[in-house]
């Protein structure tokens, strides 16, 4: 059964860095586009970055140049390297997978990122 398990969130000072990880089970990773989304309290969920099964990436303007999405297909893992973090980056970060074969979308449980001095 497909499951996305996220890790790496925590408390970091402004200007600091974190690396989020998301491990996908269920034999769908290799055919899935992966994404990272954020949702701040009281706000709608919004896209930060995506990476296709072929390795093509997309970044929201707000994170371009600061965040890097990558994937390791052998480990069924997608990463989000977050640099130059700002207080406005504080949110719950969600991993998702979109299977290009079935078109089904899976979501992780979310991991809290807090940027504060």
């Amino acid at each position: 059964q497909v499951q996305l398990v996220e890790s790496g969130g925590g408390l970091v000072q402004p200007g600091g860095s974190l690396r989020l990880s998301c491990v996908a089970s269920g034999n769908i990773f290799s055919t899935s586009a992966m994404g990272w989304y954020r949702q701040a309290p009281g706000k709608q969920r919004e896209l930060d970055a995506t990476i296709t099964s072929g390795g093509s990436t997309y970044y929201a303007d707000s994170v371009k140049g600061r965040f890097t999405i990558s994937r390791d297909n052998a480990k069924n893992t997608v990463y989000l390297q977050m640099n130059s973090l700002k207080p406005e980056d504080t949110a719950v970060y969600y991993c998702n997978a979109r299977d290009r074969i079935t078109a089904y979308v899976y979501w992780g449980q979310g991991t809290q990122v807090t940027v504060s001095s």
Side-chain angles (χ1 to χ4, degrees):
Q1 202 273 320
V2 174
Q3 186 177 15
L4 305 181
V5 179
E6 302 165 343
S7 62
L11 176 65
V12 65
Q13 295 182 10
S17 298
L18 286 173
R19 190 179 76 159
L20 307 183
S21 300
C22 173
V23 180
S25 64
N27 196 34
I28 54 92
F29 187 85
S30 63
T31 56
S32 293
M34 306 297 296
W36 286 98
Y37 294 71
R38 69 172 70 180
Q39 189 165 21
K43 303 293 181 64
Q44 61 187 342
R45 192 170 299 183
E46 60 184 53
L47 176 68
D48 284 328
T50 62
I51 183 166
T52 68
S53 58
S56 298
T57 58
Y58 167 85
Y59 297 95
D61 288 343
S62 60
V63 308
K64 197 172 300 181
R66 299 191 298 125
F67 292 7
T68 302
I69 189 170
S70 62
R71 65 192 295 158
D72 186 336
N73 290 341
K75 297 180 178 179
N76 288 352
T77 301
V78 63
Y79 304 95
L80 186 67
Q81 179 66 46
M82 311 166 69
N83 298 327
S84 302
L85 284 162
K86 307 172 181 179
E88 52 263 44
D89 294 320
T90 296
V92 177
Y93 284 74
Y94 295 90
C95 171
N96 93 328
R98 178 165 53 84
D99 193 333
R100 66 187 295 255
I101 303 301
T102 67
Y104 200 87
V105 177
Y106 304 88
W107 289 93
Q109 78 287 348
T111 184
Q112 177 71 47
V113 172
T114 302
V115 184
S116 176
S117 60

